Amino acid sequence: MENKQQEHVHLLIIGSGPAGYTAAIYASRANLKPVLYQGIQPGGQLTITTEVENYPGYPEGIQGPEMMVDFEKQATRMGADIRYGLATSVDFSKQPYKVTIDEEKEITADAIIIATGASAKWLGLPSEQRLNGSGVSACAVCDGFFFRGKEVAIVGAGDTAAEEALYLSKMCSTVHMLVRKHEMRASKVMQDRVLKTSNIIVYWNSETDEVLGDKKVEAVRIRNNQTGEKKDVAVSAFFVAIGHQPNSAIFKEYLQLDEQDYIVTVPGTSRTSIEGVFACGDVQDKIYRQAVTAAGSGCMAALDAERYLSAKEHQ
């Protein structure tokens, strides 16, 4: 495409969940005049979450989308330039770094903060999407609390699934764990803990046929992939714990990623393998993945960017 629109900015923030918006708040207050592009899902994963009860400062809890509107308003009030648009390609081979928005506008920036997040992997069932937020969740730590004393199901076989099943077992009456093969991928110690927990029932060689319920989750239909036998198990929630995919594909050519495609940052900082490019939130955090930790890392990225830009100006 010839004649792309061009613009130069001091600090560009890519992504708009708790990490991106917090970075924008801090960067604005440091007079860095940040420009933030919201990406494909303005507000990030929290916009598909219902009640958020574990974010400090909201004693009554708050709806995820409403919380992200609050974050955006605060960033705007501080002076951040927030825009619709998706970063479709980057060129970090030389400074100033280039980012193409919606394949048509080219932005150059003195520093960049990446806050593109991660997307939960889903099974791809229509019923799973239809009941998402009405008992279907990809985060047991976020939503398990709402199903205290109830029976729930979880699908997955890795360490995350095992951790989440154990977490749920402490507050739910029974946890029905669906494992696709005859064994788990989780580490031996995690498997042992799951198998020793009396209120976790493991279904081996089992897949989810359908999540049942009209307005909310009422049951899950489990299919044994060896025998073909199906059975319905009454549950109030269905947790999908088959992993997350960090939204890092466009950076792959330039930045160091780990084996799961999370952006690698220098421990204790938001610095990436390229000077002047910072990463925060779930695109670089595969351990905690909470709104509050994402916001904290957004603050770190803005402070790191501010120090970097200030040092550059005084060279």
Side-chain angles (χ1 to χ4, degrees):
M1 180 178 265
E2 68 277 4
N3 301 333
K4 280 183 183 160
Q5 296 172 268
Q6 293 187 319
E7 181 185 1
H8 180 77
V9 304
H10 197 37
L11 174 65
L12 179 66
I13 301 171
I14 308 170
S16 62
Y21 285 141
T22 303
I25 290 165
Y26 273 80
S28 299
R29 295 188 77 227
N31 204 26
L32 299 180
K33 300 184 172 56
V35 170
L36 180 150
Y37 276 95
Q38 292 180 311
I40 206 159
Q41 190 180 41
Q45 287 185 87
L46 275 168
T47 56
I48 55 166
T49 308
T50 48
E51 192 82 12
V52 178
E53 286 197 329
N54 53 8
Y55 198 93
Y58 292 101
E60 305 302 319
I62 186 166
Q63 296 291 309
E66 200 185 328
M67 182 170 149
M68 286 301 92
V69 168
D70 284 351
F71 273 52
E72 183 184 347
K73 281 182 183 163
Q74 190 171 352
T76 303
R77 186 171 77 82
M78 295 297 164
D81 180 350
I82 294 175
R83 306 174 181 178
Y84 290 110
L86 176 68
T88 45
S89 65
V90 301
D91 181 354
F92 294 163
S93 60
K94 62 180 190 295
Q95 291 182 316
Y97 302 127
K98 279 184 199 161
V99 177
T100 303
I101 305 293
D102 296 328
E103 295 179 2
E104 59 189 27
K105 180 167 185 173
E106 199 172 82
I107 300 233
T108 55
D110 299 321
I112 290 173
I113 292 175
I114 298 166
T116 47
S119 303
K121 292 178 183 171
W122 298 98
L123 298 173
L125 302 170
S127 54
E128 167 195 55
Q129 292 306 315
R130 182 173 59 80
L131 292 165
N132 191 349
S134 301
V136 171
S137 167
C139 182
V141 176
C142 314
D143 299 325
F145 182 79
F146 301 113
F147 303 98
R148 292 186 306 283
K150 306 267 178 70
E151 294 203 26
V152 301
I154 184 166
V155 58
D159 276 338
T160 299
E163 271 175 36
E164 296 207 339
L166 288 162
Y167 177 84
L168 291 168
S169 73
K170 294 182 176 74
M171 61 187 75
C172 301
S173 59
T174 308
V175 179
H176 301 272
M177 186 173 188
L178 282 52
V179 177
R180 201 176 56 196
K181 297 183 176 169
H182 64 282
E183 60 186 2
M184 288 188 208
R185 291 193 324 276
S187 58
K188 188 77 176 70
V189 64
M190 292 304 291
Q191 289 190 47
D192 288 347
R193 281 183 200 159
V194 166
L195 297 173
K196 282 178 185 159
T197 304
S198 59
N199 64 336
I200 298 178
I201 302 169
V202 180
Y203 298 75
W204 303 105
N205 301 308
S206 294
E207 297 187 34
T208 309
D209 209 48
E210 198 177 351
V211 185
L212 306 171
D214 183 19
K215 298 263 194 307
K216 60 180 189 186
V217 173
E218 289 166 15
V220 59
R221 182 164 294 149
I222 302 170
R223 176 171 46 84
N224 184 298
N225 55 29
Q226 301 294 299
T227 65
E229 184 196 347
K230 293 182 184 181
K231 69 187 265 183
D232 293 356
V233 177
V235 292
S236 299
F238 179 75
F239 292 95
V240 181
I242 56 173
H244 285 73
Q245 182 61 43
N247 302 320
S248 61
I250 63 168
F251 311 111
K252 206 168 193 160
E253 193 183 330
Y254 301 98
L255 296 181
Q256 183 189 347
L257 307 181
D258 72 6
E259 66 287 348
Q260 291 166 286
D261 291 337
Y262 285 86
I263 295 175
V264 174
T265 50
V266 175
T269 79
S270 63
R271 296 200 307 273
T272 68
S273 54
I274 289 190
E275 187 182 273
V277 178
F278 306 89
C280 55
D282 288 14
V283 75
Q284 54 83 54
D285 172 21
K286 60 184 171 193
I287 297 169
Y288 300 106
R289 292 202 304 262
Q290 299 298 304
V292 71
T293 49
S297 72
C299 160
M300 289 165 64
L303 296 175
D304 287 345
E306 198 261 330
R307 285 173 190 142
Y308 165 77
L309 290 165
S310 175
K312 216 173 148 198
E313 280 162 18
H314 291 102
Q315 272 173 1

